[in-house]
Amino acid sequence: MSKMRFFALQELAGRKPLEVIPPSNKLSDYYGSHVFDRKKMQEYLPREAYRAVTDAIEKGTPINREMADLIAAGMKNWAKSLGVTHYTHWFQPLTDGTAEKHDGFIEFGEDGDVIERFSGKLLVQQEPDASSFPNGGIRNTFEARGYTAWDVSSPAFVVDTTLCIPTIFIAYTGEALDYKTPLLKALNAVDKAATEVCQLFDKNIKRVYANLGWEQEYFLVDLALYNARPDLCLTGRTLMGHSSAKDQQLEDHYFGSIPPRVTAFMKELEIECHKLGIPVKTRHNEVAPNQFELAPIFENVNLANDHNQLVMDLMKRIARKHNFAVLLHEKPYNGVNGSGKHNNWSLCTDTGINLFGPGKNPKTNMLFLTFLVNVLMMVYKNQDLLRASIASAGNSYRLGANEAPPAILSIFLGRQLSAILDDIVQQANSTQLDEKERTTLKLGIGRIPEILLDTTDRNRTSPFAFTGNRFEFRAAGSSANCAGAMIAINAAMANQLNEFKASVDKLMEEGVSKEEAIFRILKENIIASAPIRFEGDGYSEAWKQEAARRGLTNICHVPEALMHYVDNQSKSVLIGERIFNETELNSRLEVELEKFTMKVQIESRVLGDLAINHIVPTAVSYQNRLLENLRGLRETFTPEEYEELSADRKELIREISHRVTAIKMQVRQMTEARKVANHMDNYKDRAFAYEETVKPFLASIRDHIDHLEMEVDDEIWPLPKYRELLFTK
Ligand code: ADP
Ligand code: MG
């Protein structure tokens, strides 16, 4: 066995679970201890400063300099009580993950003495030299400055000895360079649009909040094995590896008992989350071996997204302590399930109504129905934008690939809710009903509450499923920033609701009553959006054909999917709702395409290196042993006996030769394809070339390597195998 693999397995054999002790037996004693929440603000801030913050959060009023100084001073004092020495503006550039640059509180005072200072100016705004963050051509180097500015709606928190202040990140010229800025805009847009629609029903509704409950899937792998797999270290996924004799076919991992080392990791992760006020609640095994899931209680989208970003960071750090590496990649292993990040999404009014929750009386049911139908229409019209929002190199191995949801968008409503919608259309057509009867809904809508109580036929194969009181967008990738999907969904919903409202208004201007107008437009939308509704098996081949017949798109080609960010419909949503301006949208497209190109480029290089430096030499040296064996046989036996005994070995030698030759040739061709692509000036052409001419080699080279893995002596195979990566605890 190669030394690397041997030592990794040896190290692993000696692992013990770490002991994890919570700060207190009572969760509520330490929950939120590291967050500058309202309770702490009240304690540490003068009354007027406290009011300035809450007004900023609730009404968006700006915080003046004097107040900012008071807030910063209070925040610093609180942070110092936790031993904090540094602070950072914490932001979400367009890379995977978050960015922070830590500055000490240390400063020279007036008389040259060292003092600890944290002023309002430093709290509110900073100018990190951020020229090396992706910006899609927005920033020239001579304008390399970017601004980070405090997002008051997400509370400051402490990690280790650093005070972290959630911020947006924008260019010197004002364009957004992060995920948070457009997310806040999209949330604002959906708030405005949804509130206007709500007011058709209830004038008391003044605001609508979007909620997000994410479910984070991930794999754990022992750190020693991880370090012995350069592909995992450098690309986050295995670029080779024959499937294990056993993987998930027995389905014995899902909800199975969690191994003690993993439990210890999860326990510590939960404690750290709770200290940071992240309400994580459920943990369990997922379908694939060594795959797990973590989910919190839902929160408003902006906060929930910050929390998800933070959790992904925490996971990586805490996993290391427990000698694990955490894999957030969408498809770390071929042949077993990949990891997604379900985005549970709902809209809720300031009067406490969940707009996706079927109400108790017909009037609120009508409100529910209005939002439900608008979601159908939103997804139907914006399939391509939604797909663009979750398209990435990693996710392309999950969506539309073998054992995963397809890249086709569809909505699952459940049989009964579907039937109700169909009823509405039918009864409205056949109708003798007077207007009152229609709107007080003798149309089966009154049945909703009882029906939904037993809507347990939850279709797990649907990319966009109604699950009783929310929609669950399941196509998002595990490593993604939820903001990608949340920007698209909330902006598209805002756009759809605005159109809906405009159509209703128009009918009303023509003299149609409000109820009748709403009803008519809903009916039209139910009919128009019918193709997006699908209750069957989303993983089946039949659905692909059916979807094509219905005119739904199915785009597995990543750059092509991304290009839909700038198609007409997406522009009318993203630019029309003022989430991005033209420059920002184009720059975002450029960043996403470049990210794709670079990821495939790195994978291709790593695979090339491993193939030529690890796999080919191993195969050749095994082949030499076989050749030696043949020579021995020839010396020992008569020619006839030799012929008979050597046939299988000759065949194996031939097979290995064939594969080695193929690998070498394909690596050369892949390198050539890279060169050609790299020379293209245009980032779009480059991304398309990487998808079409480089990426296919990853699979075909891998196929030869995976066969060699089964042919070559296990003793000399250089890399940890799937059975080791997936089944060791
Ligand atoms: P499942 O795996 O069955 O989908 P989980 O319990 O793992 O369910 O996750 C459900 C997620 O949905 C949780 O994050 C939960 O907080 C969230 N959720 C529940 N209700 C809502 C809602 N009304 N709006 C948004 N998210 C919700
Ligand atoms: Mg779910």
Side-chain angles (χ1 to χ4, degrees), residues 57-259:
I57 295 171
E58 284 154 19
K59 304 182 203 136
T61 36
I63 293 174
N64 68 31
R65 187 58 175 278
E66 189 192 344
M67 286 305 134
D69 278 336
L70 290 174
I71 297 163
M75 211 184 259
K76 187 188 74 182
N77 287 339
W78 165 72
K80 277 171 67 182
S81 75
L82 293 170
V84 165
T85 53
H86 287 67
Y87 65 92
T88 180
H89 275 198
W90 181 82
F91 57 100
Q92 299 170 25
L94 299 173
T95 52
D96 299 336
T98 55
E100 45 199 79
K101 168 175 152 258
H102 296 207
D103 286 310
F105 284 141
I106 182 167
E107 257 181 40
F108 286 118
E110 251 89 284
D111 49 4
D113 290 343
V114 166
I115 55 164
E116 285 171 315
R117 175 178 289 167
F118 181 54
S119 66
K121 184 166 149 263
L122 296 174
L123 165 67
V124 172
Q125 185 173 318
Q126 286 192 24
E127 290 182 28
D129 172 26
S131 50
S132 43
F133 289 106
N135 57 67
I138 280 184
R139 252 155 345 120
N140 299 322
T141 32
F142 62 86
E143 286 175 344
R145 269 177 305 167
Y147 288 122
T148 53
W150 185 25
D151 166 22
V152 276
S153 60
S154 182
F157 56 90
V158 165
V159 175
D160 280 338
T161 53
T162 303
L163 169 67
C164 303
I165 297 144
T167 55
I168 58 166
F169 179 40
I170 53 177
Y172 175 64
T173 40
E175 290 92 356
L177 296 172
D178 67 346
Y179 283 107
K180 196 188 252 290
T181 310
L183 180 63
L184 291 171
K185 288 184 184 172
L187 295 174
N188 204 26
V190 83
D191 172 8
K192 247 183 93 219
T195 303
E196 282 195 16
V197 170
C198 284
Q199 291 210 346
L200 289 171
F201 300 86
D202 181 351
K203 292 279 179 213
N204 293 320
I205 296 171
K206 298 280 187 280
R207 288 200 69 173
V208 172
Y209 303 97
N211 294 317
L212 167 64
W214 42 263
E215 298 163 58
Q216 178 72 53
E217 293 182 331
Y218 62 97
F219 281 84
L220 288 176
V221 56
D222 186 84
L223 195 55
L225 294 174
Y226 172 83
N227 286 332
R229 289 282 314 217
D231 48 355
L232 273 184
C233 295
L234 298 175
T235 73
R237 76 178 180 110
T238 54
L239 298 174
M240 56 188 70
H242 196 282
S243 40
S244 165
K246 171 183 190 284
D247 46 50
Q248 67 190 41
Q249 63 274 66
L250 295 177
E251 303 199 328
D252 50 358
H253 187 68
Y254 192 49
F255 283 18
S257 71
I258 302 174

Side-chain angles (χ1 to χ4, degrees), residues 213 215 293 296-298 344 346 354 458 460 469-470 472:
E215 298 163 58
E293 182 190 288
I297 299 171
F298 67 90
N344 292 271
S346 65
N354 176 358
R458 307 215 339 204
R460 298 239 158 226
N469 60 358
R470 62 189 187 269
E472 191 168 336

Side-chain angles (χ1 to χ4, degrees), residues 340-403:
K341 176 148 49 198
H342 297 178
N343 280 214
N344 292 271
W345 169 69
S346 65
L347 296 174
C348 188
T349 68
D350 56 349
T351 57
I353 301 170
N354 176 358
L355 294 167
F356 299 155
K360 288 210 171 56
N361 60 54
K363 195 169 137 214
T364 47
N365 270 342
M366 199 61 185
L367 187 60
F368 162 70
L369 211 63
T370 298
F371 277 84
L372 181 79
V373 171
N374 274 296
V375 172
L376 290 175
M377 201 58 188
M378 177 275 281
V379 176
Y380 178 59
K381 283 203 309 214
N382 296 285
Q383 317 159 38
D384 293 337
L385 171 60
L386 295 195
R387 193 182 304 95
S389 79
I390 46 99
S392 69
N395 215 15
S396 72
Y397 292 105
R398 193 173 78 98
L399 292 189
N402 296 332
E403 54 321 282

Side-chain angles (χ1 to χ4, degrees), residues 47 94 98 135 141 146 150 198 328 446 480 580 625 638 642 666:
R47 185 165 305 168
L94 299 173
T98 55
N135 57 67
T141 32
W150 185 25
C198 284
L328 293 172
F580 297 110
R625 263 168 53 193
T638 65
Y642 172 73
Q666 291 191 22

